[in-house]
Amino acid sequence: MHSKYNSSLQIISEYKKHLWGLVDNNWTKDIDCFLEFIIENLYDESLTVADARKACYIKSKSFTSKFSLFVGTTPKKFILEHRVKAGKILLKETDLTISQIAILIGFSSHSAFSKAFTK
């Protein structure tokens, strides 16, 4: 089991590296900071948009609109989308259970992952 777990961690680490390629250096500093925080903490179940805003000293109420303009989706949808994509990769490339995958990628339960996956 330990070997399966380590290879799974490698897979989600590689996916996180892929996300770094999405960051555009021409974006504003607040967008860059926000994305960096999100990517670094993507698989942390306790990650919230509010935490990312606080970490980057973002006070603007219009930040979600600005983020959507630059990135093409809301911050919350960005987090869910990329957790689910990482989960899909793990489902294809490992024999971990759905519950194990859900926990690895930051969902609180099998049902939370399933709900996000079906959306």
Side-chain angles (χ1 to χ4, degrees):
M1 173 66 183
H2 208 58
S3 175
K4 287 193 303 186
Y5 183 73
N6 287 337
S7 67
S8 299
L9 290 177
Q10 182 64 32
I11 290 168
I12 60 175
S13 177
E14 289 298 319
Y15 184 75
K16 194 184 275 190
K17 287 179 187 175
H18 159 74
L19 285 178
W20 283 110
L22 300 178
V23 178
D24 185 337
N25 292 331
N26 294 320
W27 290 346
T28 60
K29 286 185 179 186
D30 56 346
I31 297 286
D32 282 344
C33 178
F34 190 87
L35 273 173
E36 287 173 11
F37 186 87
I38 293 294
I39 293 169
E40 280 299 316
N41 297 285
L42 184 63
Y43 307 127
D44 181 349
E45 179 187 337
S46 66
L47 172 64
T48 66
V49 171
D51 290 340
R53 285 178 58 157
K54 186 176 179 182
C56 295
Y57 306 101
I58 298 169
K59 305 274 189 224
S60 171
K61 294 180 192 254
S62 63
F63 180 76
T64 296
S65 297
K66 182 179 180 180
F67 183 89
S68 295
L69 181 66
F70 280 88
V71 182
T73 189
T74 66
K76 187 173 182 177
K77 285 181 181 176
F78 181 88
I79 293 166
L80 284 174
E81 174 186 341
H82 291 292
R83 283 181 176 172
V84 169
K85 283 183 178 181
K88 286 179 180 180
I89 293 167
L90 289 172
L91 285 169
K92 284 181 186 178
E93 297 186 18
T94 71
D95 58 352
L96 293 176
T97 67
I98 294 173
S99 294
Q100 290 170 322
I101 291 170
I103 299 303
L104 267 177
I105 59 173
F107 287 95
S108 59
S109 66
H110 169 278
S111 61
F113 174 50
S114 297
K115 183 178 176 183
F117 189 90
T118 57
K119 284 186 179 181

